[in-house]
Amino acid sequence: MTPLAYLLQRGTALIMAPMILVHLAVIIMAVQGGLTGEEILARTRGNALWAGFYATFVLAAAVHAGIGLQTVIREWTGMTTRGAAVTGHLFMLLLIVLGLRAVMGVYGA
Ligand code: HEM
């Protein structure tokens, strides 16, 4: 693992740890405010601050998982470092696209 990948993986873990606590609090509040799709979207649509929070969460998780997966792939499949890097980055890209689309769907205007 390169020093940059090491720093990014530990850094994104540090970013995500407190975000998970906020996310848990949001889940508890959401349960109290009504859990149908309409009720949730009525609260979330057009909220730029929460869109920013969850977009950051998505980016941190995607970078973290994309880097971590490379170690797992190398250990389990014997794939070359380059093959694992390509696969890890493709997975990272997929998580970013799907994750940001989900954030747009829930928090977009
Ligand atoms: C608060 C959330 C999270 C924290 C604090 C966290 C923390 C960590 C830490 C410290 C490591 C390094 C372990 C090591 O190198 O010995 C790690 C590795 C890893 N994490 Fe996370 N993580 C979090 C969320 C996630 C998520 C959401 C995913 C997947 C979507 C994920 C996937 C991985 C993978 C694949 C590795 C590599 C395992 C390995 O090197 O053997 N993590 N995580």
Side-chain angles (χ1 to χ4, degrees):
M1 187 185 278
T2 64
L4 176 64
Y6 181 92
L7 277 178
L8 279 174
Q9 209 201 2
R10 267 62 178 182
T12 48
L14 269 178
I15 290 171
M16 280 189 292
M19 293 187 104
I20 280 190
L21 297 180
V22 176
H23 184 53
L24 275 178
V26 169
I27 292 173
I28 291 168
M29 288 191 308
V31 170
Q32 287 164 354
L35 264 188
T36 68
E38 266 169 47
E39 283 165 333
I40 291 176
L41 288 178
R43 290 194 297 269
T44 57
R45 283 253 153 97
N47 194 326
L49 207 66
W50 283 112
F53 176 85
Y54 281 107
T56 307
F57 204 163
V58 162
L59 292 178
V63 169
H64 181 88
I67 295 171
L69 188 65
Q70 295 180 32
T71 311
V72 178
I73 291 175
R74 276 200 313 273
E75 279 180 15
W76 283 63
T77 69
M79 202 186 262
T80 61
T81 305
R82 189 167 175 78
V86 170
T87 313
H89 281 89
L90 285 176
F91 186 65
M92 194 185 294
L93 197 66
L94 182 72
L95 288 184
I96 290 173
V97 171
L98 293 179
L100 290 184
R101 276 183 53 132
V103 172
M104 296 262 284
V106 176
Y107 291 97

